[in-house]
Amino acid sequence: MNDYLYHILIMVFGVVIAGAAQLLLKAAAQKKYRYWIRQYLNIYVVAGYSIMVLSTICTVTAYKVVPLSVAPACEAFGQVIVAILSWAVLKEKMNRKKITGLSVILLGIAIFFI
């Protein structure tokens, strides 16, 4: 596998784990806590921000090879990941507008890479 494709995959992996981190942070935000400090010091928040740091490391590593003009297409994939994870894990509803929007994003990514 060439170096460029390897770094694209690192960037996409970073986007996917950032989506998972956002899901953890949303789950933490939906809970009620007895003490205000527990809003910030609980397993969901600590894990979410730790994963975000790992995502940032992946993105910085990928930028060593991937041109800045390609990165937005990879980052846009994060919107699709977050929507799918929210639907699967948090049981959020997927209506026609969301599906249409996600389809447009995927079409734009496909057109960009073709």
Side-chain angles (χ1 to χ4, degrees), residues 28-96:
Q30 291 177 337
K31 292 185 176 208
K32 297 282 184 190
Y33 298 97
R34 188 171 182 185
Y35 303 105
W36 69 271
I37 194 72
R38 297 284 295 168
Q39 293 176 359
Y40 307 103
L41 295 177
N42 64 62
I43 190 69
Y44 293 114
V45 172
V46 172
Y49 281 115
S50 299
I51 294 171
M52 285 297 242
V53 168
L54 180 61
S55 170
T56 302
I57 291 169
C58 289
T59 302
V60 169
T61 302
Y63 275 138
K64 291 179 181 179
V65 174
V66 176
L68 291 175
S69 61
V70 174
C74 295
E75 295 290 336
F77 187 63
Q79 301 297 322
V80 177
I81 294 298
V82 169
I84 291 170
L85 288 175
S86 296
W87 170 75
V89 177
L90 298 177
K91 307 298 183 214
E92 288 188 2
K93 301 234 188 287
M94 291 291 278
N95 57 28
R96 185 174 291 178

